[in-house]
Amino acid sequence: MSQFNIDKGIKSSENVKGQSWRSINILKWPSWERWAAVLAGLLVWTACARLGLVASPYIFGLKFMNLLIIGDPVYNLTLLQIMGTSLETLLIGAGLAFALAVSSGILLGYFRSLNRFADVFISICRPIPPLAWIPVGYVLFAQLPQPTFWVQIMVVFMGAFFPCFNATVHTVQSTDPIIIEAAQTLGARRQRQILAQVILPSAVPGIISGVRSGLGVGWMCIIGAEFVGARMGIGAYIWSLYQLGGRMSEIMIAILSVGLIGYLMNEIVILLGRRIARWYSW
Amino acid sequence: MVLMVENVDKEFNGECVLKGITFSLEEGEFACLTGPSGGGKTTLLRLIAGLIAPTSGHICLDGSLSRAKPDIGYVFQEGALFPWLTAAQNVAFGLKLRGISAEETRYLVQEALDMVELTGFDEYYPKELSGGMRMRVALARVLVCKPKLILMDEPFGSLDFRTRNKIQKDMVKLWLRLKPTILIVTHNIDEAVYLSNKIIVLSSRPGQIVEQVSITMDQPRIRTEKSFNLIREHVLSLLGE
């Protein structure tokens, strides 16, 4: 009887840890610090508006809603339509970048000698600011029907590629060797089995965070790329606002929307990551 | 004879880690390998598992000299579970590689999880399990493949005292029931005397076998018994402590 009790006791103490992990809160009520920050921000803003430095939050808000729902009269486009163009470019460019970054990252992470071979080229290309490729792109794509579009794709590609590529190479290289040995002792003798059943699944969280930072850099690049040569994306919109006499409120609205979209994309990837790799301690 | 280790030497970069290791394990034997840290205990285990090759000498499993040893189960320190697989999927890993049908796999996995007293934890990921439970999954993952020899590298070293005692007790129960051949590395003499029929004591570098102490006491053992402590003292004196 007493032995039974001891067994029970230890079992249940082992359980506790398991249960608490189960319920991951996805949408949390913001902390009071966050509420305080919003309030303080509004207060400072109102004060500055009173001094005549900036437009008041109320007017700013009205203009924002106006842009969102009715749109900019100059272009007859709503803020979301303008954003949509940029997001489209981003998703195509970054999508291509991720496809290549993940596949080549796995290859170079796995084959060390290939990595040493390619290292020179990568190390030189990595520090080049993606925007520096704009003139190269215009020359390259001059014959195509929509050169501006392809240039922007190229710039986003360059921005999104390296963060994702680096993360993939690194995560593949840092696969826990003990886990590989564990697979070997369980009968995974072929390299193909090790790659498919150990290295790739263990690389998933690393690749997801690579995608996250790649998307972030890509988003920064698209704004810059749109300053030069315009399809009517958010970057082009900001630049045209400046050229049309610097409508400060609209410029700020557009810039803050860029920040907001970037933030949302980041959150979405984190959420997706949690879904895909539930096993990982994010 | 399940395992025969004959005159095995191992050098790393010219430095001799193991020297003239000779011993054998009979079927159903529960042996412990102990000795000072850095004495090459883990190296010897890795040699037997075929993860590394000896500099000289032979290691013979069930009469076969081949280096690839699918009939050996290796339980790593802290378990080395695949974090992206649930407990059940971890246990099924070896079966899948052996091409066993899904239905049979499910049955065998369940049986193995029951055996290590983890019924109902199939869907838990390693991060959701405690250290002791992870070791149990690691053990089940190996047991399910029905290996001829189970090697365990300091399996309970990272567990707290209570979990450790409990898992040792369950280990003995399991051994009495299935009678697998086990070789376990531990630096805990108490654990060695509690678990095994034979303690192989290694010296410090280069590791050589000092003595093989066989223990005939009945299982399960009582740690406070006089005979238990006499063996403990003998092993400790071999280690010069």
Coordinates of all heavy atoms in Angstrom, one line a residue, chain A residues 164-215:
Chain A
C164 N 17.6 35.0 -44.2 CA 17.1 33.6 -44.2 C 18.1 32.6 -44.5 O 18.2 31.6 -43.9 CB 15.9 33.6 -45.2 SG 15.1 32.0 -45.2
F165 N 19.0 32.9 -45.4 CA 20.1 32.0 -45.8 C 21.0 31.8 -44.6 O 21.3 30.6 -44.3 CB 20.8 32.6 -47.0 CG 22.1 31.9 -47.4 CD1 22.0 30.7 -48.1 CD2 23.3 32.3 -47.0 CE1 23.1 30.0 -48.4 CE2 24.5 31.6 -47.3 CZ 24.4 30.5 -48.0
N166 N 21.4 32.9 -44.0 CA 22.3 32.7 -42.8 C 21.7 31.9 -41.7 O 22.3 31.0 -41.2 CB 22.6 34.1 -42.2 CG 23.7 34.8 -42.9 OD1 24.5 34.1 -43.6 ND2 23.9 36.0 -42.6
A167 N 20.4 32.2 -41.4 CA 19.8 31.4 -40.4 C 19.7 29.9 -40.7 O 19.9 29.1 -39.9 CB 18.4 32.0 -40.1
T168 N 19.4 29.6 -42.0 CA 19.3 28.2 -42.4 C 20.6 27.5 -42.3 O 20.7 26.4 -41.7 CB 18.7 28.2 -43.8 OG1 17.5 28.9 -43.9 CG2 18.5 26.7 -44.2
V169 N 21.7 28.1 -42.8 CA 23.0 27.5 -42.8 C 23.3 27.2 -41.3 O 23.8 26.2 -40.9 CB 24.1 28.4 -43.4 CG1 25.4 27.9 -43.1 CG2 23.8 28.5 -44.9
H170 N 23.1 28.3 -40.5 CA 23.5 28.2 -39.1 C 22.8 27.1 -38.4 O 23.3 26.2 -37.6 CB 23.3 29.5 -38.4 CG 23.7 29.4 -36.9 ND1 22.8 29.4 -35.9 CD2 25.0 29.4 -36.4 CE1 23.5 29.3 -34.8 NE2 24.7 29.3 -35.0
T171 N 21.5 27.0 -38.6 CA 20.6 26.1 -37.8 C 20.9 24.6 -38.3 O 20.9 23.7 -37.5 CB 19.1 26.4 -37.9 OG1 18.4 25.6 -37.0 CG2 18.6 26.2 -39.3
V172 N 21.2 24.5 -39.6 CA 21.6 23.1 -40.1 C 22.9 22.7 -39.5 O 23.1 21.6 -39.1 CB 21.6 23.1 -41.6 CG1 22.2 21.8 -42.1 CG2 20.2 23.2 -42.2
Q173 N 23.9 23.6 -39.5 CA 25.2 23.3 -38.9 C 25.2 23.0 -37.4 O 26.0 22.2 -36.9 CB 26.2 24.4 -39.2 CG 26.7 24.4 -40.7 CD 27.6 25.5 -40.9 OE1 27.8 26.4 -40.1 NE2 28.3 25.4 -42.1
S174 N 24.2 23.6 -36.7 CA 24.3 23.4 -35.3 C 23.3 22.4 -34.8 O 22.9 22.4 -33.7 CB 24.0 24.8 -34.6 OG 22.7 25.3 -35.0
T175 N 22.9 21.4 -35.7 CA 22.1 20.3 -35.3 C 22.9 19.5 -34.2 O 24.0 19.3 -34.3 CB 21.9 19.3 -36.4 OG1 21.4 20.1 -37.6 CG2 20.8 18.3 -36.1
D176 N 22.2 19.2 -33.1 CA 22.8 18.6 -32.0 C 23.4 17.2 -32.4 O 22.7 16.3 -32.8 CB 21.8 18.3 -30.9 CG 22.4 17.9 -29.6 OD1 23.6 17.5 -29.6 OD2 21.7 17.8 -28.6
P177 N 24.8 17.1 -32.3 CA 25.4 15.8 -32.8 C 24.9 14.6 -32.0 O 24.8 13.5 -32.6 CB 26.9 16.0 -32.6 CG 27.0 17.2 -31.7 CD 25.8 18.0 -31.9
I178 N 24.5 14.8 -30.8 CA 24.0 13.7 -30.0 C 22.7 13.1 -30.6 O 22.5 11.9 -30.6 CB 23.7 14.1 -28.5 CG1 25.0 14.6 -27.8 CG2 23.1 13.0 -27.7 CD1 26.0 13.5 -27.6
I179 N 21.9 14.0 -31.1 CA 20.6 13.6 -31.6 C 20.9 12.8 -32.9 O 20.2 11.8 -33.2 CB 19.7 14.8 -31.8 CG1 19.2 15.2 -30.4 CG2 18.6 14.5 -32.8 CD1 18.2 16.3 -30.5
I180 N 21.9 13.2 -33.7 CA 22.2 12.5 -34.9 C 22.7 11.1 -34.5 O 22.3 10.1 -35.1 CB 23.3 13.2 -35.7 CG1 22.7 14.6 -36.2 CG2 23.8 12.4 -36.9 CD1 23.7 15.4 -37.0
E181 N 23.6 11.0 -33.5 CA 24.0 9.7 -33.0 C 22.9 8.8 -32.5 O 22.9 7.6 -32.8 CB 25.1 9.9 -31.9 CG 26.4 10.3 -32.5 CD 27.5 10.3 -31.4 OE1 27.1 10.3 -30.2 OE2 28.7 10.5 -31.7
A182 N 21.9 9.5 -31.8 CA 20.8 8.7 -31.4 C 20.1 8.1 -32.5 O 19.7 6.9 -32.5 CB 19.8 9.6 -30.6
A183 N 19.9 8.9 -33.6 CA 19.2 8.3 -34.8 C 20.0 7.2 -35.4 O 19.5 6.2 -35.8 CB 19.0 9.4 -35.8
Q184 N 21.4 7.3 -35.4 CA 22.2 6.3 -35.9 C 22.1 5.0 -35.1 O 21.9 3.9 -35.7 CB 23.7 6.7 -36.0 CG 24.0 7.7 -37.1 CD 25.3 8.3 -37.0 OE1 25.9 8.4 -35.9 NE2 25.8 8.9 -38.1
T185 N 22.1 5.1 -33.8 CA 22.0 3.9 -33.0 C 20.6 3.3 -33.1 O 20.4 2.1 -32.9 CB 22.3 4.2 -31.5 OG1 21.4 5.1 -31.0 CG2 23.7 4.6 -31.3
L186 N 19.6 4.1 -33.5 CA 18.3 3.5 -33.7 C 18.1 2.9 -35.1 O 17.0 2.4 -35.4 CB 17.2 4.6 -33.5 CG 17.0 4.9 -32.0 CD1 16.2 6.2 -31.9 CD2 16.3 3.8 -31.3
G187 N 19.2 3.0 -35.9 CA 19.1 2.3 -37.2 C 19.1 3.2 -38.4 O 19.0 2.7 -39.5
A188 N 19.3 4.5 -38.2 CA 19.4 5.4 -39.4 C 20.8 5.4 -39.8 O 21.6 6.3 -39.4 CB 18.9 6.8 -39.0
R189 N 21.2 4.5 -40.7 CA 22.6 4.4 -41.1 C 22.9 5.2 -42.3 O 24.1 5.6 -42.5 CB 22.9 2.9 -41.4 CG 22.8 2.0 -40.2 CD 24.1 2.1 -39.3 NE 23.7 1.7 -38.0 CZ 24.6 1.7 -37.0 NH1 25.8 2.2 -37.1 NH2 24.2 1.3 -35.8
R190 N 21.9 5.5 -43.2 CA 22.2 6.2 -44.4 C 22.1 7.7 -44.1 O 21.3 8.2 -43.4 CB 21.2 5.8 -45.5 CG 21.6 4.6 -46.3 CD 20.7 4.4 -47.5 NE 19.4 4.0 -47.1 CZ 19.0 2.8 -47.0 NH1 19.8 1.8 -47.2 NH2 17.8 2.5 -46.6
Q191 N 23.0 8.5 -44.9 CA 23.0 9.9 -44.7 C 21.7 10.6 -45.1 O 21.2 11.5 -44.5 CB 24.1 10.5 -45.6 CG 25.5 10.4 -45.0 CD 25.6 11.0 -43.6 OE1 25.2 12.1 -43.4 NE2 26.1 10.2 -42.6
R192 N 21.0 10.0 -46.1 CA 19.7 10.5 -46.5 C 18.7 10.4 -45.4 O 17.9 11.4 -45.2 CB 19.2 9.7 -47.7 CG 18.1 10.2 -48.5 CD 18.0 9.6 -49.9 NE 18.1 8.1 -49.8 CZ 17.1 7.3 -49.4 NH1 15.9 7.8 -49.2 NH2 17.3 6.0 -49.3
Q193 N 18.7 9.3 -44.6 CA 17.8 9.2 -43.5 C 18.1 10.3 -42.4 O 17.2 10.9 -41.9 CB 17.9 7.8 -42.9 CG 17.4 6.7 -43.8 CD 17.7 5.3 -43.3 OE1 18.8 5.1 -42.7 NE2 16.8 4.4 -43.3
I194 N 19.4 10.4 -42.2 CA 19.8 11.4 -41.2 C 19.3 12.8 -41.6 O 18.7 13.6 -40.8 CB 21.3 11.5 -41.0 CG1 21.8 10.1 -40.5 CG2 21.7 12.6 -40.0 CD1 21.5 9.8 -39.1
L195 N 19.5 13.1 -42.9 CA 19.1 14.5 -43.4 C 17.6 14.6 -43.3 O 17.1 15.6 -42.8 CB 19.6 14.6 -44.8 CG 19.4 16.0 -45.4 CD1 20.3 17.0 -44.7 CD2 19.8 16.0 -46.9
A196 N 16.9 13.7 -43.8 CA 15.4 13.8 -43.9 C 14.7 13.7 -42.5 O 13.8 14.4 -42.3 CB 14.9 12.8 -44.8
Q197 N 15.3 12.9 -41.6 CA 14.5 12.6 -40.4 C 15.1 13.3 -39.2 O 14.4 13.3 -38.2 CB 14.5 11.1 -40.2 CG 14.1 10.3 -41.4 CD 13.2 9.2 -41.0 OE1 12.7 9.1 -40.0 NE2 13.1 8.2 -42.0
V198 N 16.3 13.8 -39.3 CA 16.9 14.5 -38.1 C 17.2 16.0 -38.4 O 16.7 16.9 -37.8 CB 18.1 13.8 -37.6 CG1 18.7 14.4 -36.4 CG2 17.8 12.3 -37.3
I199 N 18.0 16.2 -39.4 CA 18.5 17.5 -39.7 C 17.4 18.5 -40.1 O 17.3 19.6 -39.5 CB 19.7 17.5 -40.7 CG1 20.9 16.7 -40.1 CG2 20.1 18.9 -41.0 CD1 22.1 16.6 -41.0
L200 N 16.6 18.0 -41.1 CA 15.6 18.9 -41.6 C 14.5 19.3 -40.5 O 14.2 20.5 -40.3 CB 14.9 18.4 -42.8 CG 15.9 18.4 -44.1 CD1 15.1 18.0 -45.3 CD2 16.5 19.7 -44.2
P201 N 13.9 18.3 -39.9 CA 12.9 18.7 -38.9 C 13.5 19.6 -37.7 O 12.8 20.5 -37.3 CB 12.4 17.3 -38.3 CG 13.3 16.3 -38.9 CD 14.0 16.8 -40.0
S202 N 14.8 19.3 -37.4 CA 15.3 20.1 -36.3 C 15.6 21.5 -36.7 O 15.8 22.4 -35.9 CB 16.5 19.4 -35.6 OG 17.6 19.6 -36.4
A203 N 15.7 21.7 -38.1 CA 16.1 23.0 -38.6 C 14.8 24.0 -38.7 O 15.0 25.1 -38.9 CB 16.8 22.9 -39.9
V204 N 13.6 23.4 -38.6 CA 12.4 24.2 -38.9 C 12.3 25.5 -38.1 O 12.1 26.5 -38.6 CB 11.2 23.3 -38.7 CG1 9.9 24.1 -38.7 CG2 11.1 22.3 -39.8
P205 N 12.5 25.5 -36.7 CA 12.4 26.8 -36.0 C 13.4 27.8 -36.5 O 13.1 29.0 -36.6 CB 12.6 26.4 -34.6 CG 12.4 24.9 -34.5 CD 12.8 24.4 -35.8
G206 N 14.6 27.3 -36.7 CA 15.7 28.3 -37.2 C 15.3 28.9 -38.5 O 15.5 30.1 -38.8
I207 N 14.7 28.1 -39.4 CA 14.3 28.6 -40.7 C 13.2 29.6 -40.6 O 13.2 30.6 -41.2 CB 13.9 27.4 -41.7 CG1 15.1 26.6 -42.0 CG2 13.2 27.9 -42.9 CD1 14.8 25.3 -42.8
I208 N 12.3 29.3 -39.7 CA 11.1 30.2 -39.5 C 11.6 31.5 -39.0 O 11.2 32.6 -39.4 CB 10.1 29.6 -38.5 CG1 9.4 28.4 -39.2 CG2 9.1 30.7 -38.0 CD1 8.5 27.6 -38.3
S209 N 12.6 31.5 -38.0 CA 13.1 32.8 -37.6 C 13.9 33.5 -38.7 O 13.9 34.8 -38.7 CB 13.8 32.8 -36.3 OG 15.0 32.0 -36.4
G210 N 14.5 32.8 -39.6 CA 15.2 33.4 -40.7 C 14.2 34.0 -41.6 O 14.4 35.1 -42.1
V211 N 13.0 33.4 -41.9 CA 12.0 33.9 -42.7 C 11.5 35.2 -42.1 O 11.2 36.2 -42.7 CB 10.8 32.9 -42.8 CG1 9.5 33.6 -43.3 CG2 11.2 31.8 -43.8
R212 N 11.4 35.2 -40.7 CA 10.9 36.4 -40.0 C 11.8 37.6 -40.2 O 11.4 38.7 -40.6 CB 10.9 36.1 -38.5 CG 10.0 36.9 -37.7 CD 9.6 36.2 -36.5 NE 10.7 35.9 -35.6 CZ 11.1 36.6 -34.6 NH1 10.5 37.8 -34.4 NH2 12.1 36.3 -33.9
S213 N 13.1 37.4 -40.1 CA 14.0 38.6 -40.2 C 14.1 38.9 -41.7 O 14.3 40.1 -42.0 CB 15.4 38.3 -39.6 OG 15.8 37.0 -39.8
G214 N 14.1 37.9 -42.6 CA 14.1 38.2 -44.0 C 12.9 39.1 -44.5 O 13.1 40.0 -45.2
L215 N 11.8 38.7 -43.9 CA 10.6 39.5 -44.3 C 10.7 40.9 -43.8 O 10.3 41.9 -44.5 CB 9.4 38.8 -43.6 CG 8.0 38.8 -44.4 CD1 8.2 38.3 -45.8 CD2 7.0 38.0 -43.6

